[in-house]
Amino acid sequence: SLLQLKLWNKYRVSNIPSLIFIDASTGKVVCRNGLLVIRDDPEGLEFPWGPKPFSEVVAGPLLRNNGQTLDSSALEGSHVGVYFSAHWCPPCRSLTRVLVESYRKIKEAGQKFEILFVSADRSEDSFKQYFSEMPWVAVPYADEARRSRLNRLYGIQGIPTLIVLDSKGDVITRQGRVEVLNDIECCEFPWHPKPVLELTDSNAVQLNEGPCLVLFVDSEDDGESEAAKQLIQPIAEKIIAKYKAKEEEA
């Protein structure tokens, strides 16, 4: 029915089963990954499962691939890319190769940036092999509870996913993968979302994220696309500002 379709679209459900918890008094989503919640907290001790700050969820020791450990408090004051990935997944491996270069460029430009690898590998050995290629930090593979809590915090439905956070731990973009692939020189870092984008192969994935307006224009040669962008940019900015004021995703 139409109502069912509206609910699927509203909560961006892309696979089933899916369990989403909502605060009935405000209508806001409390948790997207309800299935992980009931697996991790069968007794309901953490009810009502609302989002916690990143610093609280990530708290504990982190690893470098040389075996050194450091405390998660070392991430404070930096932009952080939370990278959900696994060696068995080919798109993950190809993104990791690009991301290693992006990470190096951003650090060389003097930006405070760290990446946190949250593994979905199937064994400790596979994790170690994959992590050996990465110059950043990781949640220890054995700490399954913390890895699961991070998956829950960001409602991860598939990998690779790169969530980019500001220095306070708030989400800048969930589309880090698209941004990294679109911006090889990292000129746009930390990739604040743009109200209007040119539709490309790599960012078409956003068509699955929610309602989109696609404007077709005749040609690029006579400035048509620039004129069209000028036309819809203020409208898009207004819509985004409206949702931001409500603290909802546009």
Side-chain angles (χ1 to χ4, degrees), residues 130-152:
Y130 193 27
F131 188 40
S132 70
E133 304 164 20
M134 301 179 183
W136 45 74
V137 298
V139 176
Y141 185 78
D143 195 343
E144 198 179 329
R146 195 160 29 138
R147 290 191 288 122
S148 187
R149 282 198 300 272
L150 284 158
N151 272 278
R152 270 164 44 193

Side-chain angles (χ1 to χ4, degrees), residues 115-126:
I115 293 178
L116 174 68
F117 172 40
V118 184
S119 167
D121 288 293
R122 291 172 177 153
S123 71
E124 176 100 38
D125 286 345
S126 162

Side-chain angles (χ1 to χ4, degrees), residues 95-108:
L95 178 61
T96 297
R97 286 193 289 275
V98 177
L99 198 52
V100 166
E101 284 305 300
S102 303
Y103 178 75
R104 190 178 53 75
K105 284 175 185 154
I106 293 165
K107 300 281 268 191
E108 281 175 2

